[in-house]
Amino acid sequence: MKTCIKNIREIVGIVPQGILRKQGAEMNETGTLSNAWLLIDADRIAAFGTMDRMPQDADEYLDAEGGLVMPSFCDSHTHIVYAGSREGEFLDKINGLSYEEIARRGGGILNSSDRLHETDEDELYRQSMQRVNEMIAKGSGAIEIKSGYGLRTEDELKMLRVIRRIRENSPALVRATFLGAHAIGRGYEHEQYVRLVCDEMIPQVAQEQLADFVDVFCDEGFFTVEDTDRILTAGAKYGLRPKIHANELAVSGGVQIGVQHKALSVDHLEKTTDNEIEALLGSDTMPTMLPGSSFFLGLPYGRAKEFITAGLGVALASDYNPGSSPSGDMRFVMAMGCIRMRLTTIQALNAVTLNSAYAMGVSDEVGSITVGKRANIIVTRPLANFTMIPYMYQTPFIKHIFLSGKSVCN
Ligand code: NIG
Ligand code: FE
């Protein structure tokens, strides 16, 4: 089945084959083509060109009516498998409590862990799938999902099995991350819990092939650099590449230990110095910033601009979770990248597409308009130009969504 999208005002996000991420000055570039068509063949982007030479042999034609075509967003950091919600803590925050204070009172991650324990797998799947569908409707086509609200072996496995079901049933491209080291589970001593993660959880997760990546919340009050080193070493034995939480609450040493373990990404980075930039230069690790949690918790925004000036790439992701970022709206993430982190619109586009695809290990498959890649694309409503998307950040902009070449209702 060949579908030709015609009368596209502009295609944005065109990247030549073989480019898996953008760094430094490359962040300022994206390929564009005006007055264009794009051909989808089965699940792939087959070709694109200008309207004067449109293919005549497609099975169907879709008139974009002057809309833009862009790659679907890739959201490389989410915690969308959770039970219930935490609006009580939202009120606590309004009344002045910090994220750390709420956690110390037994709220936060442990609150979600209690709710998850009481919720069976089918109900957890139902609630989580609703969030996935909400994210798809907002333009995300690839989603990384973490465990980390189980905090005991059976419950971590339950979360990961739910992620596997989402992966099997959702049209989005899904990757799973094991985040047993998200907090110390109730009833465990710190050392005892780190051992549980290394010696029991990781082997079982690997045995059932439930995760692609391993994550640790390497930050003040949670897991130390030494814990992180041990957990990542244990994960590596089973081929689990790290993607870690680092430098959200403090300059934690998380970036350095992540780079040392060849992490695919180090995420959060609200608190960094030039030492973190230095550690990342020349590495294969994608610095990933999460402006949704800066917005929601009132934390500083990551220094994306300085990272790029230093020659690094930056990815942006939603961190969708019930405690620090209750939104999976990647268009809003892109807008915050522009408005609060002063990224140009093109830098922000690269950060939420190709680089975020890289940060979840799928940039050979999605994240750009590239012949041969999976046809995960957004056709916008008629728009004057791409800048309108982050600028008018609340105005509905999506007309059609294709995931793996199939039209998804919006
Ligand atoms: O990425 N920082 C640690 N973990 C999540 C928050 C999880 C929660 O509060 O439920 C985050 O912000
Ligand atoms: Fe997170």
Side-chain angles (χ1 to χ4, degrees):
M1 172 81 168
K2 287 185 185 170
T3 305
C4 182
I5 305 169
K6 63 178 184 176
N7 295 327
I8 301 167
R9 180 182 296 266
E10 185 171 55
I11 302 178
V12 295
I14 301 170
V15 172
Q17 276 166 339
I19 294 184
L20 298 182
R21 64 172 166 171
K22 297 207 173 187
Q23 304 191 85
E26 295 157 2
M27 289 289 290
N28 303 328
E29 296 155 16
T30 188
T32 61
L33 189 67
S34 297
N35 194 21
W37 54 267
L38 181 140
L39 187 71
I40 298 171
D41 189 356
D43 63 339
R44 300 283 137 181
I45 298 172
F48 48 82
T50 48
M51 280 305 290
D52 50 340
R53 292 157 150 244
M54 188 173 71
Q56 302 301 316
D57 63 339
D59 301 299
E60 60 176 25
Y61 288 82
L62 175 74
D63 195 337
E65 297 172 328
L68 314 179
V69 162
M70 61 177 281
S72 295
F73 299 121
C74 300
D75 194 345
S76 61
H77 182 136
T78 85
H79 308 250
I80 50 102
V81 173
Y82 61 86
S85 51
R86 301 206 326 245
E87 68 278 14
E89 293 175 13
F90 176 59
L91 299 176
D92 291 342
K93 276 186 207 104
I94 292 170
N95 288 324
L97 287 187
S98 70
Y99 185 77
E100 293 95 317
E101 284 163 340
I102 292 170
R104 275 201 295 273
R105 287 177 162 199
I109 295 166
L110 291 180
N111 182 350
S112 285
S113 167
D114 293 342
R115 282 159 199 241
L116 186 124
H117 184 62
E118 295 152 5
T119 307
D120 72 31
E121 198 175 306
D122 287 343
E123 173 58 16
L124 192 57
Y125 172 72
R126 194 191 61 76
Q127 293 185 22
S128 306
M129 201 59 176
Q130 256 176 15
R131 296 180 196 115
V132 169
N133 290 333
E134 170 202 326
M135 293 166 76
I136 289 173
K138 287 186 182 292
S140 289
I143 305 171
E144 180 262 12
I145 312 174
K146 300 174 193 297
S147 70
Y149 293 123
L151 309 183
R152 45 188 121 193
T153 306
E154 254 326 298
D155 288 343
E156 283 295 311
L157 294 172
K158 175 165 80 178
M159 286 188 81
L160 289 164
R161 290 185 194 120
V162 166
I163 300 172
R164 180 167 61 194
R165 274 168 80 177
I166 295 171
R167 186 174 183 151
E168 286 164 2
N169 293 306
S170 165
L173 181 58
V174 172
R175 289 290 178 268
T177 300
F178 166 65
L179 174 57
H182 197 193
I184 305 296
R186 279 202 204 282
Y188 292 100
E189 296 294 328
H190 191 107
E191 171 57 23
Q192 191 191 11
Y193 189 75
V194 173
R195 283 209 193 127
L196 183 79
V197 170
C198 293
D199 301 342
E200 185 176 297
M201 291 186 183
I202 288 177
Q204 292 200 28
V205 167
Q207 155 107 36
E208 279 194 53
Q209 298 186 340
L210 288 170
D212 304 289
F213 307 111
V214 60
D215 195 343
V216 178
F217 188 7
C218 179
D219 225 318
E220 199 170 80
F222 289 85
F223 293 87
T224 65
V225 167
E226 202 234 319
D227 300 332
T228 307
D229 190 27
R230 286 166 61 194
I231 294 165
L232 300 187
T233 303
K237 279 199 208 131
Y238 295 92
L240 296 175
R241 194 163 173 199
K243 268 177 69 60
I244 71 169
H245 282 71
N247 296 57
E248 174 186 3
L249 308 172
V251 178
S252 65
V255 169
Q256 287 79 355
I257 194 73
V259 170
Q260 205 178 306
H261 281 268
K262 302 202 181 327
L264 188 53
S265 71
V266 287
D267 300 25
H268 268 290
L269 313 181
E270 286 86 352
K271 308 256 168 75
T272 58
T273 68
D274 290 347
N275 294 336
E276 279 67 37
I277 294 180
E278 205 50 49
L280 283 157
L281 281 168
S283 75
D284 291 333
T285 303
M286 179 61 72
T288 300
M289 297 179 184
L290 311 171
S293 56
S294 299
F295 172 75
F296 191 75
L297 298 181
L299 299 175
Y301 287 80
R303 298 155 64 208
K305 203 123 203 129
E306 288 162 74
F307 275 47
I308 294 168
T309 305
L312 292 168
V314 167
L316 297 178
S318 75
D319 197 19
Y320 191 174
N321 77 75
S324 67
S325 182
S327 161
D329 184 343
M330 285 296 283
R331 188 244 200 131
F332 184 48
V333 167
M334 184 170 61
M336 285 188 283
C338 297
I339 297 162
R340 304 308 310 268
M341 302 165 98
R342 299 275 157 219
L343 295 180
T344 67
T345 53
I346 302 298
Q347 289 171 341
L349 173 72
N350 285 320
V352 295
T353 54
L354 189 70
N355 280 4
S356 45
Y358 178 93
M360 55 184 287
V362 295
S363 63
D364 56 342
E365 180 73 1
V366 291
S368 62
I369 303 296
T370 303
V371 169
K373 276 195 182 178
R374 198 182 278 229
N376 277 15
I377 62 172
I378 297 172
V379 184
T380 74
R381 297 180 178 201
L383 285 179
N385 52 54
F386 174 72
T387 299
M388 298 303 285
I389 297 176
Y391 162 54
M392 301 291 286
Y393 64 92
Q394 288 273 293
T395 306
F397 78 112
I398 297 177
K399 183 82 183 282
H400 305 280
I401 293 169
F402 287 87
L403 292 181
S404 293
K406 287 211 179 67
S407 172
V408 175
C409 290
N410 189 42

